[in-house]
């Protein structure tokens, strides 16, 4: 006679068997492994499939070979083989920025992880949702200085939103679910999942949860109604109002709400470097980018406004310069951000509103609509008149009659030829600032650059991710010869996957921004900023199987661009030999305030 305990277990087993049958019948195909034991490597791939991942950017190595083996056996997820792990992270980043999707990269342990750290930190500084899967040595070897072992969790802790070390295969699926949820919710960011090799070979049943409970993580989405009401009242009382919008507007897909708000009230708008495209660059209310290399009118209006609405921006050092100088002019500040730690971090604000930018803007518009008749139109007209006087300084002018190619001219012609409809990635330096100043972005997610970390080498691999996320779109990488040298190996990746990116190399044979600072602040001592022994970029492109063009005269600029964009199936590298002495103006020197700009006319 069987015992009661035995009967209970038999009944439980039968119930479990029935549940498995029901689950396997109704679940999505990628979730039907309940009751079957599969390896951790298989679980990783099935989790990615369940998340709808289209591309994984990566580079194989010993600790992740079982995962690569499972990728080989399926055809839902496409793997993109980069030539350096930094390229994998940047490509996943560019894919995410341009597509509203979560980028995914996969690298091996040790140097694979450390090579990816620069790309991970780049995404972290700019709040880009990414999931980074890293291999790790087997769990018994962790902490034993095993071959290709690094403490991935410890190394990346300062530059990820969160990270995990998975030591039990049963925890793998829920951990990956958490990683995707964390990466794209609240203030987005990269999340790392470190997976030991023995976890990829261990087996368990697979169940990918629809949701994962996280009691300590509940980001606020709706702004406090009382605070929104205060903000609306302040805006109606403004004599010299200003709207300052950053990358948070782009990340929250709130550009349409920002435009509606600005048109409702008629206030001037400025964008940060990361916010370009959040408000149309051709609109009459747009004052251009603000900050260290922002326009004179944007910086002066920001400094002298009396009510400032800051949306999805963080008052960083490249935007407002010296906080004490910024605070010398009294103003009321309304700050809207998903991240409460960003509010009053550098500048004390009067009306903090924590919430999803899109939701807060919708509510603010709803409250403003019945109040707009209270706007002091006479004061607003006077404020716009002052702004027009600042605009008259024509702070972005340059020598258009120069016999040497001016980099600004190249960007202006690029804008004309592409009709302002390209996805533009950039590296970091003077070329980045000229692209931001002279390419009038009209849509969000078209300007892809490293703002917070300022990462040289970002442009080309990011463009790869953008092109894969937007097949058929025009994708341009604006770079300089120093930045481009950082990740030239990715030309090989572009060749393998037939990515028709157009590379605009503003070649002045210097580390341009370094040289500019050395000219201004280091007595013209150009210590190690001259780029000697550069390659022939035309031949370099051709060596990788692409097309190279060298442009040396202003009259050749537009024809070369038009010829390049006719080649819709080819990667074309355009090497523009530009004026070596050209500087980016305006410029706010380090430690100075927004109104203490250097203009070209003052030198």
């Amino acid at each position: 006679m069987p015992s009661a305990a035995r009967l209970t277990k038999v009944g439980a087993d039968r119930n479990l068997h029935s549940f498995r049958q029901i689950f396997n019948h109704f679940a999505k195909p990628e979730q039907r492994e309940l009751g079957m034991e599969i390896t951790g490597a298989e679980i990783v791939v099935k989790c990615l499939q369940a998340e709808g991942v289209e591309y994984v950017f990566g580079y194989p190595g010993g600790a992740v070979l079982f995962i690569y083996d499972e990728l080989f056996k399926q055809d839902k997820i496409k793997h993109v083989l980069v030539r350096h792990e930094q390229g994998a992270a940047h490509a996943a980043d560019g894919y995410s920025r341009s597509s509203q999707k979560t980028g995914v990269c996969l690298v091996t342990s040790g140097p694979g992880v450390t090579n990816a750290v620069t790309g991970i930190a780049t995404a972290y500084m700019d709040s880009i949702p990414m999931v980074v899967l890293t291999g790790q040595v087997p769990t018994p070897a962790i902490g034993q200085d095993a071959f290709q072992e690094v403490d991935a969790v410890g190394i990346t802790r300062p530059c990820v939103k969160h990270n995990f070390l998975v030591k039990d295969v049963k925890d793998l699926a829920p951990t990956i679910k958490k990683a995707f949820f964390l990466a794209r919710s609240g203030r987005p960011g990269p999340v790392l999942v470190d997976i030991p090799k023995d976890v990829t070979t261990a087996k368990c049943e697979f169940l990918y949860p629809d949701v994962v409970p996280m009691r300590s993580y509940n980001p606020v989405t709706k702004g406090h109604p009382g605070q929104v009401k205060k903000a609306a009242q302040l805006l109606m009382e403004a004599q010299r109002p200003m709207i300052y919008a950053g990358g948070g507007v782009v990340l929250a897909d709130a550009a349409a709400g920002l435009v509606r708000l600005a048109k409702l009230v008629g206030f001037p708008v400025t964008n940060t470097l990361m916010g370009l495209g959040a408000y149309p660059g051709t609109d009459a209310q747009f004052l251009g980018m603000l900050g260290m290399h922002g326009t004179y009118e944007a910086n002066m209006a920001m400094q002298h406004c009396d009510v400032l609405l800051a949306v999805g921006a963080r008052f960083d050092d490249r935007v407002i310069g010296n906080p004490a100088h910024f605070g010398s002019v009294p103003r009321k500040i309304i700050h809207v951000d998903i991240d409460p730690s960003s509010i009053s971090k550098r500048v004390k604000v009067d009306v903090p509103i924590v919430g999803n930018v899109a939701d807060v803007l919708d509510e603010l518009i709803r409250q403003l609509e019945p109040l707009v008749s209270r706007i002091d139109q006479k004061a607003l007209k006077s404020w716009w008149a002052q702004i027009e006087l600042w605009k008259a300084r024509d702070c972005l002018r340059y020598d258009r009659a120069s016999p040497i190619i001016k980099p600004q001219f190249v960007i202006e012609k690029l804008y004309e030829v592409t009709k302002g409809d390209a996805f533009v990635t950039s590296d970091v330096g003077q070329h980045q600032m000229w692209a931001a100043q002279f390419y009038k972005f009209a849509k969000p997610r078209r300007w892809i650059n490293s703002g917070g970390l300022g990462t040289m080498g970002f442009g080309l691999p990011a463009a790869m991710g953008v092109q894969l996320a937007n097949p058929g779109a025009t994708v341009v990488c604006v770079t300089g010869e120093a930045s481009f040298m950082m990740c030239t190996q990715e030309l090989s990746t572009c060749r393998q996957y037939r990515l028709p990116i157009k590379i605009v190399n503003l070649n002045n044979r210097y580390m341009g921004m370094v040289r500019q600072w050395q000219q201004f602040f280091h007595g013209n001592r150009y210590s190690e900023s001259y780029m000697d022994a550069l390659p022939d970029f035309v031949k370099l492109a051709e060596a990788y199987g692409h097309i190279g063009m060298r442009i040396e005269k202003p009259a050749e600029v537009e024809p070369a661009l038009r010829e390049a964009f006719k080649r819709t199936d080819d990667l074309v590298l355009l090497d523009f030999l530009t004026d070596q002495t050209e500087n980016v103006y305006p410029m706010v020197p380090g430690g100075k305030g927004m109104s203490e700009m250097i203009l070209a006319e003052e030198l």
Side-chain angles (χ1 to χ4, degrees):
M1 189 75 180
S3 67
R6 172 64 179 162
L7 285 170
T8 302
K9 184 178 187 308
V10 169
D13 286 345
R14 286 174 178 163
N15 289 337
L16 181 58
H17 179 69
S18 299
F19 172 72
R20 286 171 181 159
Q21 285 183 318
I22 293 169
F23 181 88
N24 288 334
H25 179 73
F26 289 104
K28 299 173 184 176
E30 60 269 20
Q31 295 176 319
R32 288 180 185 166
E33 306 302 331
L34 196 62
M36 298 169 55
E37 289 198 340
I38 62 174
T39 67
E42 291 177 271
I43 288 172
V44 169
V45 173
K46 289 186 179 296
C47 289
L48 298 180
Q49 290 173 340
E51 288 291 339
V53 172
E54 185 180 13
Y55 288 101
V56 170
F57 302 88
Y59 200 94
V64 289
L65 284 183
F66 288 103
I67 298 174
Y68 270 88
D69 198 37
E70 294 304 323
L71 284 170
F72 182 84
K73 295 174 184 176
Q74 56 85 55
D75 57 8
K76 289 184 179 178
I77 300 170
K78 303 176 185 72
H79 182 274
V80 178
L81 177 65
V82 297
R83 287 359 184 215
H84 190 285
E85 289 90 351
Q86 181 176 339
H90 289 331
D93 182 329
Y95 178 89
S96 178
R97 293 186 199 230
S98 65
S99 69
Q100 303 173 263
K101 298 176 183 176
T102 302
V104 178
C105 62
L106 170 63
V107 299
T108 193
S109 62
V113 176
T114 56
N115 281 346
V117 166
T118 297
I120 295 169
T122 300
Y124 177 71
M125 289 292 284
D126 291 343
S127 304
I128 306 305
M130 278 171 46
V131 171
V132 183
L133 303 175
T134 60
Q136 184 54 275
V137 300
T139 50
I142 292 176
Q144 302 299 312
D145 294 330
F147 177 66
Q148 291 192 331
E149 179 192 0
V150 298
D151 179 5
V153 169
I155 287 171
T156 61
R157 184 172 287 118
C159 61
V160 293
K161 185 174 179 182
H162 197 68
N163 56 21
F164 300 92
L165 171 61
V166 181
K167 292 186 176 181
D168 189 328
V169 69
K170 296 184 181 68
D171 297 328
L172 192 51
T175 299
I176 292 175
K177 182 66 180 183
K178 288 179 183 178
F180 275 93
F181 174 65
L182 287 168
R184 57 193 171 213
S185 61
R187 180 177 180 174
V191 178
L192 182 139
V193 181
D194 199 30
I195 309 171
K197 188 170 184 177
D198 58 319
V199 172
T200 67
T201 59
K203 291 185 175 183
C204 73
E205 294 180 346
F206 172 63
L207 172 60
Y208 197 62
D210 289 330
V211 294
V212 283
M214 300 182 71
R215 288 187 301 171
S216 61
Y217 179 72
N218 293 291
V220 175
T221 56
K222 301 292 184 181
H224 189 281
Q227 293 296 90
V228 177
K229 184 177 180 179
K230 286 181 185 177
Q233 291 170 341
L234 260 185
L235 290 170
M236 291 303 95
E237 297 167 3
Q239 302 286 300
R240 303 183 307 279
M242 185 73 176
I243 300 173
Y244 151 55
V249 176
V250 176
L251 292 169
D253 298 316
L258 177 66
V259 173
R260 281 169 42 226
L261 174 65
K263 290 301 175 184
L264 177 66
V265 295
F267 297 167
V269 182
T270 185
N271 284 155
T272 65
L273 177 70
M274 298 306 301
L276 291 175
Y279 193 85
T282 54
D283 190 84
Q285 288 174 236
F286 185 60
L287 306 189
M289 180 180 73
L290 82 164
M292 179 172 279
H293 295 292
T295 65
Y296 184 76
E297 54 268 26
N299 282 349
M300 293 298 286
M302 182 80 168
Q303 180 66 20
H304 295 288
C305 66
D306 68 341
V307 175
L308 176 63
L309 173 61
V311 188
R314 55 190 180 89
F315 294 92
D316 69 276
D317 58 303
R318 290 295 173 109
V319 166
I320 65 162
N322 186 335
H325 179 275
F326 182 71
S328 64
V329 177
R331 67 178 69 76
K332 296 292 185 181
I333 299 176
I334 304 156
H335 192 176
V336 180
D337 205 285
I338 189 69
D339 180 9
S341 71
S342 291
I343 297 179
S344 289
K345 187 174 185 178
R346 296 193 76 239
V347 171
K348 187 179 182 299
V349 306
D350 300 280
V351 183
I353 304 175
V354 178
N356 179 50
V357 168
D359 292 330
V360 173
L361 286 178
D362 285 345
E363 176 60 19
L364 184 56
I365 290 167
R366 191 187 68 79
Q367 295 208 25
L368 283 172
E369 282 174 335
L371 304 177
V372 289
S373 60
R374 289 168 44 187
I375 295 174
D376 187 336
Q377 294 295 338
K378 183 178 179 181
L380 184 59
K381 185 177 179 181
S382 176
W383 177 230
W384 272 111
Q386 174 60 69
I387 290 171
E388 290 302 319
L389 291 176
W390 289 326
K391 279 186 180 181
R393 296 290 292 270
D394 193 14
C395 66
L396 297 181
R397 68 180 177 275
Y398 64 92
D399 181 8
R400 296 175 184 276
S402 170
I404 307 171
I405 296 174
K406 292 291 185 178
Q408 302 97 317
F409 179 71
V410 177
I411 302 299
E412 285 188 325
K413 287 300 177 184
L414 175 67
Y415 176 75
E416 281 182 34
V417 170
T418 61
K419 298 181 173 60
D421 200 36
F423 288 85
V424 180
T425 73
S426 85
D427 279 292
V428 170
Q430 289 179 316
H431 61 272
Q432 177 191 26
M433 295 299 106
W434 284 316
Q437 291 174 336
F438 288 91
Y439 200 100
K440 297 177 175 60
F441 295 95
K443 301 175 184 176
R445 297 189 182 274
R446 294 300 180 99
W447 170 234
I448 314 294
N449 80 120
S450 170
L453 197 64
T455 306
M456 294 173 70
F458 174 82
L460 179 57
M464 299 187 316
V466 173
Q467 190 74 79
L468 288 165
N470 303 273
T474 300
V475 179
V476 182
C477 171
V478 175
T479 188
E481 73 291 340
S483 283
F484 186 61
M485 293 288 288
M486 293 277 187
C487 284
T488 53
Q489 72 279 349
E490 299 307 333
L491 286 171
S492 178
T493 307
C494 293
R495 178 63 177 172
Q496 180 174 344
Y497 297 96
R498 302 293 190 270
L499 302 177
I501 297 161
K502 305 301 181 281
I503 300 170
V504 173
N505 184 29
L506 301 181
N507 185 351
N508 62 8
R509 287 78 74 203
Y510 271 103
M511 298 179 199
M513 192 60 82
V514 173
R515 183 205 57 74
Q516 178 169 335
W517 279 64
Q518 288 172 333
Q519 176 186 334
F520 287 1
F521 310 119
H522 298 276
N524 297 303
R525 294 181 295 278
Y526 301 123
S527 176
E528 305 302 327
S529 58
Y530 179 71
M531 297 295 289
D532 202 359
L534 286 170
D536 182 325
F537 287 104
V538 172
K539 290 181 179 178
L540 181 67
E542 291 171 348
Y544 280 103
H546 304 300
I547 296 169
M549 302 169 65
R550 180 173 294 107
I551 303 94
E552 301 184 52
K553 298 178 181 178
E556 299 171 351
V557 171
E558 184 175 344
L561 285 166
R562 293 197 181 279
E563 175 63 25
F565 285 102
K566 283 180 186 176
R567 298 178 175 272
T568 55
D569 296 328
D570 299 315
L571 184 150
V572 182
L573 191 159
L574 300 107
D575 187 27
F576 293 94
L577 301 187
T578 62
D579 189 342
Q580 290 186 281
T581 65
E582 192 68 17
N583 291 321
V584 181
Y585 299 106
M587 179 178 181
V588 178
K592 297 293 185 178
M594 297 184 72
S595 61
E596 298 176 302
M597 288 163 279
I598 299 173
L599 303 181
E601 66 190 43
E602 297 171 354
L603 294 177

